[in-house]
Amino acid sequence: MSFAPNPENLQQVLQLVEYMTNAQSTQMLNTAREKFEHFNKTSSEFSNYLAHIFSTSEFSSNIRNFAGISLKNKLTKSDYISPEMHGTQSVAINSFSEQQMAHIKGCLVKTLSDPSDRLRNTAANIIVSIMRKYTVRFWPELMKGLISLLQYTDDSRAGAFRCLIMLCEDMTHEFEEDEKDPLAMLVPVLIQFFDHPDVKWKIEAIKVYESLLVHFPSAALNNMDNFLNGLTKLVSVQDTTIQRYVCSCFVIMLDRPRYLNPVWTNVVEFMLVCTANEKEEQLAQEACKFWMTLSEAQALRPMLTELKPYLPRLVPILLKGTVFSEFERRMKEEDSMAPAKDSEINPGSLQMETKVHVIGADDESDESFDVDEAQDYLDDIWNLRKYSAQSLDNMSQYFGADILPHLLPHVENYMKEGNPWYVRESGVLALGAVEKGCGKYLEQYLPQLIPYLMSIAAKEMALLRSIACWTISRFSDWISSQNEDVFKSILHLFLQCMLDSNKKSPRSSSICFVLPPRVCTNQARALSSPYH
């Protein structure tokens, strides 16, 4: 029997919700809250009224949303009484019967088609909360219902996609374990949406697919050929968001590389184009993850070998990716002009303090924008520069000298006097990045290169001094084998940098003193002992 609200009770609940959302004073809010909680605790049908209000379009958006959030809170704190249990016990105030839950489910699915994006999102959140609490078997018809919504209006489609992406992010494994395998119904439908004429729905479909592909459910593996065909079509769509998700899917697919073999050439070409996209940094960053992942995993060595013909194109692209973005440059320049605080260069204060602000917490912290804190945050996150430098590092270790003909001419050009500091800085960074794989091949250039880097570390701006110190330290093997004068001059340079008023150079030069055991020869120890 479907729920039929009592007009008097409905009006009473509506009035309470209105008071809660429109209270003009703390006293009014507290009074309304007390009445609301009393009704909640004394009425077994309270959740039905909340669901009814939430799904009824004649009420205001604020009232409906509040009712939805209240319903979610009640659902997550209550229990469901199965039909078997229902015959032996009455429905408790904090429990739901089968009939109640059927009404609530219907209201939630109905609201997924609401014109209000806010209400659709609330409905999706409530559905996912129910599934988390009771598992996917609690609502076996949900997937079929969501797939049906994908075929209707734009509003219903948007609500269904919102719900699907949340479910696939959190519950793909549970769907996979369900004997009915709901994903087997969903996956072919998502792939069909790759051909949808509206780009908006292509994006939503690939967002959902990416969230479940991470887990490689059997439904995705069984449809891999169709998925790759669909992905190949999306490659040609001139939309940055779609291209970014395609890149992400290809990165994920590196965990199952055999599926990429038939389309490998197309994948590499697409990734080269995306990585070289200077106008869309997020797209280039997503594509650059591909090269880093490919060059890191031992299991992908055969595929990395096939990359050798592409090095003339790839290496310059990665080098260009190491250049600071315009935003990063502004932050770095502001930071480099600020003098170091004692706490930033004091050897006894090397531990970084992490400050976390909890919204609503009572504190007296200064909420003004802090360049130092922002810069520390930027230093910690992965970006295009870091992905590019790490990719160069990894590939130099695998390809060795083969990478140098495609790198050194560009590095030499980057490091020319007269270039902007951030271009020269990226050239110096690249030399340090490839040292681990190409150090012995670069030794022939070091008698000229090290003095040049020392000149940068001695007089250029702080960021150039910092990266020059770091790059010099990467060649510590070679430095330790040189005569006493070379070692002393470098040691003196590092000590001078430690006295720099800017925090970057002291940090980099301090790290330079931590030499690996293999280069701590007796000569090195003897020469550095006067500075202990």
Side-chain angles (χ1 to χ4, degrees), residues 201-313:
W201 304 122
K202 293 178 191 283
I203 293 173
E204 293 300 314
I206 195 169
K207 282 169 63 176
V208 177
Y209 209 105
E210 181 213 33
S211 64
L212 65 86
L213 184 63
V214 174
H215 308 283
F216 287 101
S218 57
L221 296 177
N222 294 338
N223 287 273
M224 191 58 71
D225 288 343
N226 291 333
F227 168 65
L228 287 175
N229 288 336
L231 214 57
T232 302
K233 294 177 183 177
L234 291 179
V235 163
S236 60
V237 178
Q238 296 303 308
D239 182 272
T240 303
T241 303
I242 287 181
Q243 291 174 344
R244 197 167 71 243
Y245 278 104
V246 171
C247 287
S248 179
C249 287
F250 282 141
V251 172
I252 294 169
M253 290 293 296
L254 288 173
D255 279 344
R256 298 290 191 279
R258 65 187 181 89
Y259 292 106
L260 288 178
N261 286 332
V263 293
W264 181 244
T265 300
N266 292 335
V267 171
V268 171
E269 290 290 344
F270 175 70
M271 288 300 190
L272 283 169
V273 172
C274 291
T275 313
N277 193 321
E278 298 180 27
K279 295 182 179 179
E280 299 292 343
E281 185 178 346
Q282 284 188 330
L283 173 61
Q285 178 176 314
E286 197 64 48
C288 205
K289 290 181 188 178
F290 180 83
W291 310 116
M292 189 186 76
T293 305
L294 176 62
S295 57
E296 276 183 340
Q298 290 291 329
L300 299 175
R301 288 298 187 243
M303 301 182 82
L304 186 58
T305 302
E306 296 179 19
L307 208 59
K308 189 174 180 179
Y310 297 95
L311 291 180
R313 295 166 59 192

Side-chain angles (χ1 to χ4, degrees), residues 401-530:
D402 290 338
I403 206 173
L404 294 179
H406 316 300
L407 176 69
L408 292 183
H410 297 281
V411 167
E412 184 179 6
N413 188 47
Y414 274 42
M415 292 170 60
K416 285 180 179 178
E417 297 286 345
N419 281 338
W421 70 264
Y422 48 87
V423 175
R424 296 173 65 202
E425 193 272 351
S426 66
V428 177
L429 169 66
L431 285 175
V434 301
E435 183 279 332
K436 196 170 183 180
C438 301
K440 62 181 179 180
Y441 307 111
L442 291 171
E443 286 185 359
Q444 58 182 310
Y445 306 106
L446 294 184
Q448 294 78 40
L449 180 60
I450 294 298
Y452 174 72
L453 293 175
M454 290 175 65
S455 70
I456 293 177
K459 62 182 181 181
E460 294 286 356
M461 69 173 293
L463 287 167
L464 272 171
R465 292 198 300 273
S466 174
I467 199 65
C469 285
W470 175 80
T471 299
I472 291 171
S473 72
R474 296 279 281 183
F475 296 99
S476 52
D477 276 339
W478 180 84
I479 293 170
S480 65
S481 68
Q482 299 306 297
N483 62 48
E484 182 175 328
D485 291 339
V486 173
F487 190 90
K488 277 186 174 181
S489 61
I490 292 174
L491 195 60
H492 179 73
L493 171 68
F494 289 164
L495 288 171
Q496 286 294 116
C497 287
M498 290 183 70
L499 299 176
D500 200 319
S501 61
N502 181 274
K503 63 186 177 182
K504 291 294 183 182
S505 297
R507 285 180 180 178
S508 295
S509 53
S510 297
I511 294 171
C512 296
F513 282 99
V514 187
L515 298 177
R518 68 180 184 277
V519 304
C520 290
T521 61
N522 290 333
Q523 179 196 23
R525 292 192 186 94
L527 289 171
S528 61
S529 59

